[in-house]
Amino acid sequence: MCENDDNLLWILGGSAFAALVMGGIVLLALSKPATQPQLLSVLELRAHLHVQSGPMQGQRIPITHALFYIGRGTQNHLTMQQKSVSRRHAQISYDGNLFTIQDTGSKTGTFVNGQAIHYAVLNSGDVIRVGDTSLQFVVPIST
C-alpha cells in the first residue's frame, strides 16, 4: 500500500526488504525480518501520464502509487468512464527501479506503442492505449 505525503511517497509493505531510491538509483537497501508491516519512504516520483487522446485529452495524471490501477471502476487511481475499458483494466507498477504495465484481464486489451501486451517494461515517452484513450508515460529527468 502507498500513500503520498507532501514530497514523499510512502510504501507500506510486509516484506523484509526496503530501499531508498533516488532517480532510479538505490541509495540504501535494508534487509531484515519484519514482524509487522513497515512504513518506508522514498523520494516522490514525478512520473505521470499525459492524456493524448480521449475524453480527458490534455490532462496530466500523476502516478501516485507504486501499484497504480487504471479502469472503469471507481476504486481505481485513474477512472475512465468508457464502455471499452474494463472495471480493472491495467496496472502500472514501480519496484524502485523499473516501471511496468500489466493488462489485468481486460476484454479489449492494453497496448504499448501500438503493440498488444500482457506485461511490458515502460520507458519515458511510451504511449499506452486503454480503451479509446492514449496516454503518454513520462518520467522527467531530474536535475
Side-chain angles (χ1 to χ4, degrees), residues 69-70 86-91 102-106 110 117-118:
Y69 296 103
I70 300 169
S86 296
R87 280 187 281 271
R88 170 111 351 134
H89 196 102
Q91 75 179 29
Q102 179 178 349
D103 184 277
T104 54
S106 71
T110 301
I117 61 99
H118 173 69

Side-chain angles (χ1 to χ4, degrees), residues 96-142:
N97 187 32
L98 293 173
F99 283 94
T100 59
I101 187 165
Q102 179 178 349
D103 184 277
T104 54
S106 71
K107 292 181 181 176
T108 58
T110 301
F111 298 79
V112 175
N113 299 327
Q115 300 294 313
I117 61 99
H118 173 69
Y119 174 88
V121 173
L122 288 172
N123 296 296
S124 190
D126 285 347
V127 176
I128 301 163
R129 185 167 54 83
V130 173
D132 299 323
T133 299
S134 291
L135 309 153
Q136 184 177 37
F137 175 72
V138 180
V139 181
I141 298 172
S142 351

